[in-house]
């Protein structure tokens, strides 16, 4: 069954969500009952709120498969099909404040997840996991715990790697790295750069996201974000953030990275930069696996291989920034057992049947998953799946950083300063100092 998500009118404060849903603490105390679905055998209908296109992403088939295996649970897919997760989360907030039925809620990133955990929107799941009898850490790559309690199971696994033009590596007699540092990465970018002017191929391309101005910090086991793990201190005046900006500075100075002013003035796309051979490598993530053979139905003009995310220093382990789609049970749901049964099934069996995403489930058959994803692309024969499998198997997921709810303000302040730096309007130390002071002020203003 499926239903379109309608935009609701009216204005509501997110802080009222816990009260509207009956309150996280109260619902947690009722988790042994779990509502009237799932284990009781009584037929129920649960609603799955997400943002994906149902037909394109095989949701109809997934739901049909689940309902066949669980005849007492019907699943109603509720989605605007706009592939805009942040906009959809706002609609879900409004639906919750209006008292609509919500059971399973999919969340796209750690920031949105943490914010709604703090508002009591999601059911604590530790007791459900214990009752189901599985070990979370043994089953999943991404830890969803907030202060020791898990409020979600991870579905799609987002990890990062480097996509490379293998033909250009061969032309330059460069081996495909199986591990490397940022210094090595920039050396490769320098050697892969060729040509001049409008026809130049740069060694690499850095996109406009905040990820690309915290490169060396992004995959660290501690203090990987702009706010330190203590939640009270800016992390901007730090070795790894400074190193991140030095990486960008080198790319501009030696001409190995697409200039930032070109990126913003021409509104460049990382996909086009890579497949149009304007950049020989791009730092990207697992969402690109299905497009590795080409984009928009056009086969890649070259062979594509994969290298791991670079390390900050020699001797560091090979780690990747990691994230996930979070599958949560709404704290106000009357069908919590059934909702949990669905998210456990989907994050293990269902996502593999779906064949569209890289699962966070550790026991997934990686070869089968990769084959399915690559075959969906324009030219599967152009994709070096062996190097991709190696990256997936050898890259350890960095611990998930659950940022403070005001992280967006900190990111905006930081990027305002880094924009000036990347455009040559201020030096590195001025950038660090200004951004650090602005971030600390935001932290202090939000301190309890």
């Amino acid at each position: 069954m499926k239903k379109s998500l309608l935009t609701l009118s009216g204005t509501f404060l997110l802080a009222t969500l816990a009260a509207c849903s009956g309150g996280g603490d109260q619902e947690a105390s009722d988790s042994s009952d779990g509502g009237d679905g799932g284990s009781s055998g009584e037929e129920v209908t649960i609603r799955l709120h997400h943002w994906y296109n149902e037909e394109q992403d095989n949701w109809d088939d997934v739901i049909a498969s689940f309902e066949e295996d669980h005849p007492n649970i019907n699943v109603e897919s509720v989605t605007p099909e706009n592939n805009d997760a942040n906009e959809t989360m706002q609609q879900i907030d409004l639906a919750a404040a209006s008292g609509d039925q919500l059971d399973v809620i999919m969340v796209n990133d750690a920031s949105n997840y943490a914010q709604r955990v703090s508002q009591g929107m999601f059911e604590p799941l530790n007791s459900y996991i214990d009752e189901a009898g599985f070990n979370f850490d043994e089953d999943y790559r991404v830890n969803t715990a907030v202060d020791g309690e898990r409020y979600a199971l991870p579905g799609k696994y987002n990890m990062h790697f480097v996509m490379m033009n293998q033909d250009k590596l061969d032309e330059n007699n460069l081996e495909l790295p199986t591990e490397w540092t940022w210094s090595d990465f920039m050396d490769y970018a320098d050697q892969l750069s060729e040509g001049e002017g409008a026809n130049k191929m740069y060694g690499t391309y850095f996109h406009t996201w905040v990820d690309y101005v915290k490169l060396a910090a992004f995959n660290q086991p501690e203090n990987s974000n702009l706010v330190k793990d203590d939640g009270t201190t800016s992390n901007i005046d730090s070795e790894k953030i400074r190193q991140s900006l030095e990486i960008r500075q080198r790319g501009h100075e030696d001409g190995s990275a697409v200039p930032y002013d070109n990126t913003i003035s021409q509104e460049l796309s990382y996909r086009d930069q890579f497949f149009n051979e304007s950049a020989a490598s791009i730092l990207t993530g697992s969402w690109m696996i299905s497009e590795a053979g080409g984009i928009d139905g056009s086969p890649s003009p070259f062979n594509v291989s994969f290298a791991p995310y670079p390390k900050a220093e020699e001797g560091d382990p090979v780690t990747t920034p990691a994230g996930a789609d979070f599958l949560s049970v709404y704290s106000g749901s009357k069908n919590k057992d059934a909702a949990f049964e669905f998210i456990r099934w989907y994050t293990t069996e269902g996502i593999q049947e779906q064949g569209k995403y890289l699962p966070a489930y550790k026991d997934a058959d990686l070869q089968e998953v990769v084959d399915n994803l690559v075959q969906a692309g324009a030219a599967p024969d152009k994709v070096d799946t062996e190097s991709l499998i190696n990256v997936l198997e050898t890259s350890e997921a960095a611990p998930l950083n659950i940022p403070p709810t005001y992280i967006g303000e900190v990111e905006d302040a930081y990027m305002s300063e880094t924009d000036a730096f990347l455009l040559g309007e201020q030096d590195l130390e001025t950038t660090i100092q200004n951004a650090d002071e602005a971030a600390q002020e935001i932290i202090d203003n939000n301190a309890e």
Side-chain angles (χ1 to χ4, degrees):
M1 299 174 65
K2 60 184 180 181
K3 181 181 181 71
S4 295
L5 181 63
L6 301 177
T7 303
L8 301 174
S9 61
T11 303
F12 301 90
L13 294 175
L14 291 181
T16 65
L17 286 174
C20 291
S21 66
D25 292 340
Q26 178 62 39
E27 294 297 341
S29 68
D30 294 339
S31 64
S32 59
D33 298 332
D36 56 2
S39 60
S40 68
E42 181 179 348
E43 185 171 340
V44 299
T45 296
I46 62 172
R47 304 182 84 191
L48 162 65
H49 284 72
H50 63 102
W51 57 90
Y52 290 108
N53 181 282
E54 289 173 321
E55 181 177 357
Q56 180 179 322
D57 287 1
N58 297 338
W59 282 101
D60 290 343
D61 294 339
V62 168
I63 289 172
S65 178
F66 175 79
E67 291 178 340
E68 183 178 356
D69 290 345
H70 304 79
N72 62 316
I73 305 175
N74 301 311
V75 180
E76 185 178 299
S77 173
V78 185
T79 172
E81 300 190 307
N82 61 2
N83 286 322
D84 188 328
N86 290 324
E87 179 181 325
T88 302
M89 285 310 304
Q90 294 175 15
Q91 296 181 20
I92 290 171
D93 291 337
L94 293 173
S98 296
D100 285 8
Q101 179 189 343
L102 297 93
D103 299 296
V104 175
I105 298 174
M106 185 180 293
V107 186
N108 65 317
D109 63 24
S111 181
N112 278 327
Y113 171 63
Q115 179 181 359
R116 287 158 181 84
V117 165
S118 71
Q119 294 162 351
M121 192 171 190
F122 303 140
E123 175 77 0
L125 298 181
N126 284 10
S127 61
Y128 292 82
I129 293 169
D130 291 343
E131 186 174 348
F134 65 90
N135 185 303
F136 185 100
D137 293 328
E138 290 179 0
D139 279 7
Y140 296 106
R141 297 179 186 274
V142 177
N143 188 351
T144 62
V146 178
D147 296 329
E149 182 73 60
R150 296 184 175 91
Y151 298 84
L153 302 183
K156 180 176 72 174
Y157 176 51
N158 295 320
M159 55 90 68
H160 293 245
F161 45 61
V162 182
M163 286 178 63
M164 307 203 71
N165 183 326
Q166 182 61 45
D167 294 358
K168 291 301 177 183
L169 288 176
D170 293 340
E171 288 177 19
N172 288 275
N173 296 314
L174 293 171
E175 293 186 4
L176 178 66
T178 55
E179 62 175 284
W180 52 350
T181 64
W182 281 111
S183 178
D184 298 330
F185 174 84
M186 295 307 298
D187 287 345
Y188 267 62
D190 190 27
Q191 294 176 74
L192 289 169
S193 299
E194 60 181 48
E196 297 293 337
N199 296 321
K200 178 173 181 175
M201 172 184 278
Y202 293 88
T204 194
Y205 168 83
F206 298 109
H207 200 45
T208 57
W209 301 334
V210 68
D211 305 349
Y212 296 92
V213 277
K214 56 177 185 177
L215 294 162
F218 201 22
N219 64 334
Q220 293 302 301
E222 297 177 347
N223 298 324
S224 61
N225 215 325
L226 301 178
V227 178
K228 289 186 178 180
D229 296 346
D230 63 15
T232 62
T233 313
S234 168
N235 191 41
I236 293 173
D237 189 3
S238 64
E239 176 188 348
K240 294 297 186 290
I241 294 295
R242 183 173 277 98
Q243 181 183 0
S244 301
L245 296 184
E246 289 171 345
I247 293 165
R248 299 296 305 273
Q249 186 173 42
R250 175 178 170 181
H252 288 177
E253 289 178 346
D254 63 18
S256 60
V258 175
Y260 185 66
D261 56 355
N262 290 1
T263 300
I264 58 175
S265 65
Q266 300 174 32
E267 298 182 345
L268 298 179
S269 159
Y270 61 91
R271 290 175 171 87
D272 291 342
Q273 288 295 292
F274 185 60
F275 288 109
N276 291 342
E277 298 188 83
S278 297
S281 67
I282 53 170
L283 283 151
T284 186
S286 48
W287 59 88
M288 282 295 294
I289 294 175
S290 61
E291 300 182 60
I295 55 173
D296 300 328
S298 300
S300 170
F302 50 85
N303 292 301
V304 177
S305 56
F306 300 82
Y309 192 87
K311 304 185 294 185
E313 306 291 344
E314 288 281 3
D316 288 351
V318 178
T319 54
T320 171
D325 282 349
F326 299 84
L327 277 293
S328 296
V329 175
Y330 180 51
S331 61
S333 171
K334 297 180 180 179
N335 308 304
K336 293 175 185 173
D337 283 340
F340 181 79
E341 196 161 347
F342 175 80
I343 68 172
R344 172 60 175 170
W345 176 88
Y346 174 73
T347 58
T348 53
E349 300 174 45
I351 193 169
Q352 295 181 78
E353 291 185 24
Q354 195 169 18
K356 301 296 291 187
Y357 316 125
L358 183 67
Y361 184 51
K362 289 182 179 179
D363 285 344
D365 186 328
L366 273 184
Q367 186 67 60
E368 181 179 348
V369 168
V370 166
D371 287 345
N372 287 338
L373 291 173
V374 170
Q375 289 299 319
D381 59 310
K382 294 286 189 178
V383 182
D384 179 5
T385 57
E386 182 177 350
S387 66
L388 175 57
I389 294 276
N390 179 68
V391 169
L392 297 178
E393 289 181 336
T394 59
S395 298
E396 180 183 347
L400 181 66
N401 177 276
I402 304 295
T405 57
Y406 54 84
I407 189 64
E409 295 180 61
V410 175
E411 290 177 348
D412 289 345
Y414 176 59
M415 293 186 73
S416 176
E417 298 297 331
T418 57
D419 275 0
F421 168 71
L422 295 173
L423 292 171
E425 297 171 358
Q426 66 185 22
D427 62 28
L428 175 60
E429 290 308 318
T430 300
T431 300
I432 292 288
Q433 180 179 344
N434 290 350
D436 188 62
E437 291 175 355
Q440 191 61 54
E441 182 177 356
I442 292 168
I443 294 168
D444 294 342
N445 289 340
N446 283 274
E448 296 183 353

